[in-house]
Amino acid sequence: MTSSLDRHAHIAKLRSYRRSVPDSEVHEVLADLDDSGLLAEIEPLVAQATGRRRKLAVRALLLGMCLTAARNTGTVTLTSVANTLFFALSDDARDQLGIPRYPDHSRGFEAAYGVVRRLFHRVIGAIDPSPLPKNHRLDRDLVSRLLSEVDPTELARKRSLLLRIANLILAMSLRDAHVLLEGRWKGSVALDATVIGTYAKGLSSNSPVTASDPEAGWYVRTVKHKDPLITEAPAQDRVKKSLYGYDACLVVARDPDHDGAPLPDGSANPDVVPSLVVAFSLDKPSHRPAEAALEALRYVDARYPRGYLAGDRLYSDQKPHKFQLPVRAMGYQPVYDYAKDQLGVQTQFAGAELIEGNWYCPSMPQPLKDATKDLVSKKIDKQTWINRIQQRTTYLFMPKQRTDAEGHRRMMCPAEANRVQCSLKPYTLGRGIHLPLIDPEPSPAGSPMACTQRTVTLPPEAGAQLWQPLQYGTADWQRVYFRLRNAIEGMNGFGKDPLYERLESGGTRRIRGIAAQAILLAFQLAHANKRKLATWAGSIALNGDRPHRRPTRRRATLPLGHWTPVGYLTPTA
């Protein structure tokens, strides 16, 4: 039988299992922090001219959070930060950072934890865009009074400051990838709002009190993927998933010109950088999707170019002045898919008709105008739809000049572009039987401007909600849209992996309030970026050597769908 003395020795040995941090890692992280701009943003917020001298510097706090995130798969808890800073660093590192010494027992740890907690909450308080107290269930009337007394301008300033600091934390994970992104990424991104839980129990909207995390809200997903404002749904809209938390709008970088397939030797392609989160914002679920997306896009590094921007149908359903026009003003070219009520002819300008994001001749045959509508209603099969989309190209308005600084662009009809012959423009006749002949029906209102002038100038607001530069349904559109959409969905799943960052779990961010949630989420997203880069680098064959690991896609055979005969694409009943 083991004696009491032996048991105490074993327990003491277990207590000693604390991972020490080498000085080389400390110096590396400090160098990244000094170059990140975080200290310049945060230190003025917590500076104090009077009172007792603070026992912990902001630089040391951020160091502890970075080290903790690296060791805990991105999860940062203040107890882990205190343990790392006060008991896992070397004596030289603690002396350099001015970290006081505490004895390694319960009282010493509680004192160290108190130092970390006070400084962290002081930082959070300076950038919190909400006046509501956390960790308490507040009466609704009190909430209304507190919100009415606050200055909206001050809250907007704090929200901007919060997102800037959170995105600076995220940007630290891209420092080593900057050279790769700068040379191999043309600026194309995908947008998506992914739900993350909060460490608080959500209450019904009819409750007389709020939840202990009052800025969060309910995310509700039904079998039809709708987001109703109430949790009660009719039988046909059964709730599939509900979660109390926030929507994190992620901006994911992806090069749609490459498919990311392995090289012939089975290693990853070093010229295809993996999908990475380059910016994000945080808000209530389905609260302000357009504004949250624009906030995230503003924090994409200005050194990178602006390319295509893909989003799901939520973004093509926004008001143009809230999303589509600002996105184009930033330099992005939107790429959309459309809902059923957005198919076919949607609007006109100077006679040109906007059909699924592109401007076409008004005399284009009706079956071509309704191609996608007929596909959705199962009147035609997929191959017929593909053929009709290709035939649409003949009737497409073509650019005459580049877009000017104000977003205006001169366009010419397909007859002027030498794609068709039109009876309204006699000089386009006689070009050969290989060009279709257009004979528009007479109208009491006369011929539209596009049919009488050589060119028309399209302003940016014309059809702005649904316009996109790529012709919908073509191979180029499918390549760009689906690769970007796959990138954002893949990144969502990557970050929600239960073995690693677990983004959706509120238990990985145990401090309530949108400010704390944004900062802690930034460390998790940064860790996901670093993990993805490490995985990608490990699957590359350097200097002719075998890679450390195989790429995710390792099948060299053709998929079964490759052998499907062309035309045999009609879905079964």
Side-chain angles (χ1 to χ4, degrees):
M1 186 173 180
T2 306
S3 67
S4 175
L5 184 61
D6 288 339
R7 289 199 303 272
H8 288 178
H10 283 294
I11 294 173
K13 186 177 180 180
L14 292 175
R15 287 178 58 181
S16 68
Y17 287 163
R18 178 182 285 132
R19 295 174 58 187
S20 60
V21 181
D23 288 348
S24 58
E25 184 178 358
V26 172
H27 295 153
E28 182 179 351
V29 174
L30 287 176
D32 289 343
L33 282 173
D34 293 340
D35 293 338
S36 67
L38 276 170
L39 299 179
E41 291 284 351
I42 299 177
E43 285 182 337
L45 301 176
V46 297
Q48 55 184 25
T50 59
R52 291 187 300 176
R53 180 176 176 273
R54 187 176 292 116
K55 294 183 178 181
L56 191 67
V58 171
R59 187 167 181 251
L61 174 66
L62 293 175
L63 168 68
M65 297 181 76
C66 291
L67 294 174
T68 299
R71 281 158 171 73
N72 296 343
T73 62
T75 299
V76 176
T77 61
L78 299 187
T79 53
S80 297
V81 174
N83 183 68
T84 300
L85 287 178
F86 289 88
F87 304 106
L89 298 184
S90 67
D91 292 341
D92 291 340
R94 281 187 286 175
D95 290 340
Q96 178 186 348
L97 293 167
I99 299 176
R101 307 291 178 87
Y102 289 105
D104 190 5
H105 54 53
S106 60
R107 291 185 178 179
F109 183 84
E110 289 298 327
Y113 171 75
V115 170
V116 171
R117 184 180 183 277
R118 285 191 295 271
L119 179 56
F120 178 79
H121 281 278
R122 185 175 178 86
V123 173
I124 293 302
I127 58 177
D128 190 357
S130 170
L132 303 180
K134 283 71 176 174
N135 300 319
H136 301 284
R137 294 185 174 181
L138 306 175
D139 184 80
R140 298 283 181 181
D141 294 335
L142 175 61
V143 169
S144 300
R145 181 173 61 81
L146 291 175
L147 293 176
S148 65
E149 294 174 352
V150 75
D151 181 8
T153 305
E154 178 64 12
L155 294 186
R157 183 191 69 82
K158 286 189 174 183
R159 179 173 176 82
S160 177
L161 187 57
L162 168 64
L163 294 179
R164 183 160 68 249
I165 291 174
N167 279 278
L168 284 175
I169 295 171
L170 176 64
M172 291 178 61
S173 66
L174 303 173
R175 290 174 59 84
D176 293 336
H178 173 66
V179 175
L180 302 171
L181 289 172
E182 197 172 33
R184 294 168 178 81
W185 175 51
K186 298 179 182 178
S188 294
V189 298
L191 276 176
D192 193 28
T194 183
V195 63
I196 65 166
T198 183
Y199 198 60
K201 181 180 179 181
L203 302 177
S204 169
S205 58
N206 298 326
S207 173
V209 295
T210 66
S212 57
D213 194 340
E215 290 88 22
W218 279 105
Y219 168 86
V220 179
R221 178 173 179 171
T222 66
V223 293
K224 291 185 177 182
H225 200 176
K226 294 180 180 178
D227 290 328
L229 298 179
I230 56 175
T231 55
E232 293 79 19
Q236 64 269 24
D237 288 344
R238 295 188 306 274
V239 174
K240 184 178 180 180
K241 176 181 179 181
S242 62
L243 186 67
Y244 188 72
Y246 295 90
D247 262 352
C249 183
L250 307 184
V251 182
V252 173
R254 170 74 156 88
D255 181 6
D257 293 332
H258 299 88
D259 60 5
L263 297 176
D265 63 356
S267 63
N269 189 342
D271 291 329
V272 182
V273 183
S275 305
L276 299 169
V277 181
V278 293
F280 81 103
S281 65
L282 202 65
D283 211 334
K284 284 186 178 181
S286 305
H287 183 53
R288 302 180 311 138
E291 292 83 349
L294 293 178
E295 286 176 333
L297 290 171
R298 290 191 185 100
Y299 293 103
V300 177
D301 197 320
R303 295 174 294 179
Y304 298 134
R306 300 303 190 253
Y308 293 112
L309 183 146
D312 59 18
R313 294 172 183 171
L314 171 69
Y315 297 103
S316 62
D317 197 36
Q318 301 301 310
K319 300 296 183 182
H321 68 278
K322 287 188 174 182
F323 181 75
Q324 287 87 344
L325 290 173
V327 160
R328 290 165 61 183
M330 290 179 177
Y332 291 101
Q333 300 183 73
V335 185
Y336 301 128
D337 192 12
Y338 301 108
K340 290 183 180 180
D341 59 351
Q342 296 173 331
L343 302 176
V345 179
Q346 293 297 308
T347 188
Q348 294 185 354
F349 183 84
E353 294 181 341
L354 186 73
I355 303 173
E356 285 135 38
N358 309 117
W359 296 101
Y360 292 95
C361 172
S363 298
M364 183 170 68
Q366 194 65 35
L368 301 188
K369 296 181 181 181
D370 296 336
T372 308
K373 293 173 66 175
D374 291 343
L375 175 69
V376 172
S377 60
K378 298 183 180 181
K379 294 180 180 178
I380 60 175
D381 58 40
K382 291 183 180 179
Q383 188 60 46
T384 303
W385 174 74
I386 291 173
N387 295 338
R388 291 184 180 180
I389 291 295
Q390 293 174 345
Q391 294 170 26
R392 279 182 178 181
T393 307
T394 302
Y395 302 90
L396 187 66
F397 269 63
M398 302 299 294
K400 178 69 173 178
Q401 296 175 345
R402 290 187 177 184
T403 305
D404 63 19
E406 297 180 350
H408 295 74
R409 192 171 197 179
R410 295 194 67 78
M411 305 287 288
M412 53 185 176
C413 75
E416 294 289 345
N418 199 26
R419 295 190 174 207
V420 299
Q421 304 175 77
C422 182
S423 60
L424 295 179
K425 296 183 176 181
Y427 54 88
T428 66
L429 302 176
R431 292 175 174 173
I433 59 174
H434 63 287
L435 297 181
L437 176 63
I438 293 177
D439 188 15
E441 296 182 0
S443 171
S447 300
M449 189 182 303
C451 299
T452 58
Q453 298 183 175
R454 288 184 174 269
T455 62
V456 293
T457 300
L458 289 174
E461 62 269 19
Q465 180 181 357
L466 304 177
W467 177 86
Q468 59 177 318
L470 297 177
Q471 187 182 1
Y472 179 81
T474 60
D476 286 341
W477 177 85
Q478 294 185 47
R479 170 179 55 82
V480 173
Y481 180 78
F482 288 113
R483 285 181 180 174
L484 291 178
R485 287 289 300 144
N486 288 344
I488 189 73
E489 295 296 343
M491 194 67 199
N492 286 343
F494 188 84
K496 293 180 180 180
D497 191 327
L499 290 179
Y500 295 99
E501 293 81 16
R502 297 177 293 158
L503 294 181
E504 192 170 278
S505 172
T508 60
R509 297 172 303 278
R510 299 199 172 198
I511 306 176
R512 295 168 176 83
I514 189 171
Q517 292 286 306
I519 297 300
L520 299 180
L521 177 63
F523 281 101
Q524 290 179 292
L525 293 174
H527 187 273
N529 277 344
K530 291 181 179 180
R531 183 165 65 91
K532 177 162 275 197
L533 285 169
T535 302
W536 170 72
S539 60
I540 293 175
L542 295 176
N543 303 319
D545 297 332
R546 291 185 63 83
H548 293 167
R549 55 171 293 161
R550 292 181 296 179
T552 303
R553 291 183 59 186
R554 52 184 179 270
R555 294 189 179 94
T557 57
L558 294 173
L560 184 62
H562 178 81
W563 308 106
T564 303
V566 175
Y568 195 75
L569 297 173
T570 304
T572 57

